[in-house]
Amino acid sequence: MRSASRVRTAPTHARFVPVDRGDRPTPAGAQFAAFRTVRWAIAAVALVGTLMIVPATAIQVPGALRVGNQSLPAASCATRDTLWVHHYAAALYLPPREAPAAALQDPKQPKALHVQILSRSFLPKDLPTKWRETLEAKLDLPSFTSVRLAWRELAVGDQVTIAYAPGSGVTLQLNDRVIARTPRHDIVDALLQTWAENEPVPQRVSRVVAKNPCRP
């Protein structure tokens, strides 16, 4: 199994903070201050422009995950972005040569979703209502409580994996720690229905997978 590379953070850039020294600048000093301000403005614009064109493919996810006794290749990869901010990278893992929608809904097929947290900028403090209601209905109280607490503790760099193996059921893992387990496949079906909203699950899965292929 190929492990995911660590997400590199950009170097910290100094902030330009104007200081009022209380004395009036000479004309030469005023020109220098104006030049320095323009230089910082240009640098800021260049930095933003660079961030906006960083390709999502630069963020790597595992090429395969082992679920049960099978190694599943990545079938679809994507990032969730707002402007130049990458919130998370996600990859879906399914048996090769299986139709994605059919494999996701088949209790006889293993599957996994792997998510890497890249930013907490817009991550809500608590589970969003639709996911909270779905998980609460399908998990026992201790497991649901563990999931909710784990959500609140999420930090940049964390890796979340939801995996299903026939015979073993669903495992939700945060980094190397198992958060919750359930032997039933119906939680996968419920999560898919919640994610698809009013769209048929097979249609939504096929469209999203086709739109977000994994690139080497």
Side-chain angles (χ1 to χ4, degrees):
M1 179 178 68
R2 181 166 62 88
S3 60
S5 63
R6 186 178 298 275
V7 178
R8 292 194 294 265
T9 57
T12 303
H13 294 272
R15 293 181 298 167
F16 173 66
V17 181
V19 177
D20 183 6
R21 297 183 182 275
D23 54 340
R24 300 182 63 180
T26 63
Q31 291 176 3
F32 174 77
F35 171 75
R36 185 170 57 178
T37 301
V38 170
R39 184 180 62 184
W40 276 97
I42 293 173
V45 171
L47 172 62
V48 170
T50 301
L51 289 172
M52 291 183 70
I53 63 175
V54 171
T57 52
I59 302 166
Q60 296 184 3
V61 293
L65 285 182
R66 180 163 293 279
V67 178
N69 60 358
Q70 294 192 46
S71 178
L72 305 181
S76 182
C77 306
T79 59
R80 176 66 182 272
D81 306 321
T82 300
L83 297 177
W84 59 86
V85 178
H86 296 311
H87 302 295
Y88 59 82
L92 177 67
Y93 299 84
L94 298 170
R97 296 179 297 278
E98 294 288 340
L104 281 171
Q105 296 180 293
D106 187 354
K108 297 180 181 179
Q109 298 290 346
K111 63 216 69 175
L113 176 68
H114 179 81
V115 179
Q116 297 183 19
I117 306 300
L118 306 177
S119 172
R120 283 194 56 93
S121 298
F122 299 98
L123 195 66
K125 293 182 179 179
D126 203 353
L127 276 168
T129 302
K130 65 177 184 179
W131 300 113
R132 185 172 70 246
E133 292 176 349
T134 300
L135 292 170
E136 191 172 15
K138 296 297 179 181
L139 293 174
D140 57 41
L141 183 57
S143 295
F144 173 71
T145 302
S146 296
V147 171
R148 198 168 184 180
L149 291 174
W151 175 279
R152 295 170 181 171
E153 296 172 0
L154 284 177
V156 173
D158 280 345
Q159 301 184 24
V160 179
T161 305
I162 304 173
Y164 170 83
S168 300
V170 175
T171 300
L172 193 153
Q173 190 169 318
L174 174 60
N175 300 322
D176 297 325
R177 179 164 56 103
V178 174
I179 301 300
R181 295 180 187 271
T182 178
R184 305 192 312 271
H185 185 273
D186 63 349
I187 190 173
V188 176
D189 298 323
L191 290 171
L192 285 171
Q193 290 286 349
T194 301
W195 168 72
E197 296 180 335
N198 297 323
E199 189 175 357
V201 170
Q203 181 178 327
R204 178 75 181 270
V205 169
S206 298
R207 179 168 57 81
V208 171
V209 169
K211 185 180 178 181
N212 298 283
C214 296
R215 295 178 175 83

